[in-house]
């Protein structure tokens, strides 16, 4: 029997420069939908936390490394990084002003209020694809979670991020020995090959089992230096 509890409730719906973004509540979960495509919800967060931890562990032990997190989402990666005193500056880039607002004064603030108040944290409202080619900032780790994977992008323009030009931009903002970590809804041997072809070293994939279907994955690679 279907009840009102089973029907997602739309909390906010916005038209942004990249299309429609929606925040829904489904039972106890908050969900983000972009252009009709389910992006993420607050059900788990294991793979988002692994994204941050795996990037740190792949570094060379440098003190207080700076991390750039690509995609604010529901905030799991930011909250996890801010809970770890080993990180230095924690920058999060998010192109949707609606998502930022949902964290600053909306329903998602319950997940990230502490992290946003951390003096190490800064939020950058910008498109990551453009940012990595234009900024003068550099980082020790770049953790990307802006799509469902290299082969399943939220918008068509994101596709270039996973090709030669996009990966060159990622390498550009990484310091020597810095780590690129990319979340994906499924492992991609093809993307591993793209990382190697772009000059990254120590390319590997960590898998996160899920209840049904193929595992989530975090692709890791190190910029030479």
């Amino acid at each position: 029997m279907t009840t009102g509890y089973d029907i997602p409730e739309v909390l906010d719906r916005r038209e942004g420069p990249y299309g429609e973004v929606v925040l829904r509540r489904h039972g106890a979960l908050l969900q983000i939908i972009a252009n009709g495509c389910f992006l993420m919800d607050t059900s788990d967060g294991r793979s988002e936390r692994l994204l941050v931890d795996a990037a740190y562990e792949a570094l060379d032990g440098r003190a207080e490394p700076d991390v750039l997190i690509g995609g604010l989402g529901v905030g799991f990666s930011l909250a996890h990084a801010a809970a770890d005193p080993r990180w230095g500056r924690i920058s999060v880039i998010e192109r949707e002003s609606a998502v930022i607002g949902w964290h600053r004064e909306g329903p998602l603030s319950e997940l990230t209020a502490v992290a946003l108040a951390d003096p190490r944290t800064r939020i950058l409202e910008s498109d990551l694809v453009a940012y990595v080619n234009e900024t003068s900032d550099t980082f020790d780790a770049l953790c990307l979670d802006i799509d469902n994977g290299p082969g399943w992008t939220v918008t068509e323009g994101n596709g270039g991020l996973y090709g030669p030009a996009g990966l060159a931009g990622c390498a550009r903002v990484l310091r020597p020995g810095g780590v690129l970590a990319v979340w994906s809804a499924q492992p991609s041997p093809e993307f591993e090959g793209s990382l190697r072809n772009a000059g990254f070293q120590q390319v590997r994939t960590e898998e996160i089992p899920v209840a049904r279907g193929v595992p989530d994955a975090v692709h890791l690679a190190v910029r030479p230096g």
Side-chain angles (χ1 to χ4, degrees), residues 63-81:
E64 297 184 340
D66 295 333
V67 59
L68 174 62
I69 298 172
L72 179 54
V74 297
F76 283 132
S77 296
L78 167 59
H80 193 61

Side-chain angles (χ1 to χ4, degrees), residues 9-22:
E9 173 192 4
V10 174
L11 302 179
D12 196 9
R13 185 190 303 272
R14 309 263 188 101
E15 281 293 333
Y18 305 96
E20 182 187 71
V21 288
V22 176

Side-chain angles (χ1 to χ4, degrees), residues 170-205:
C170 292
R172 177 180 173 276
V173 300
L174 283 172
R175 295 165 187 159
V179 173
L180 173 63
V182 180
W183 186 91
S184 178
Q186 61 184 22
S188 174
E190 294 81 9
F191 184 56
E192 286 189 354
S194 297
L195 288 166
R196 294 187 179 95
N197 290 337
F200 285 94
Q201 299 178 348
Q202 301 177 47
V203 175
R204 62 187 177 87
T205 299

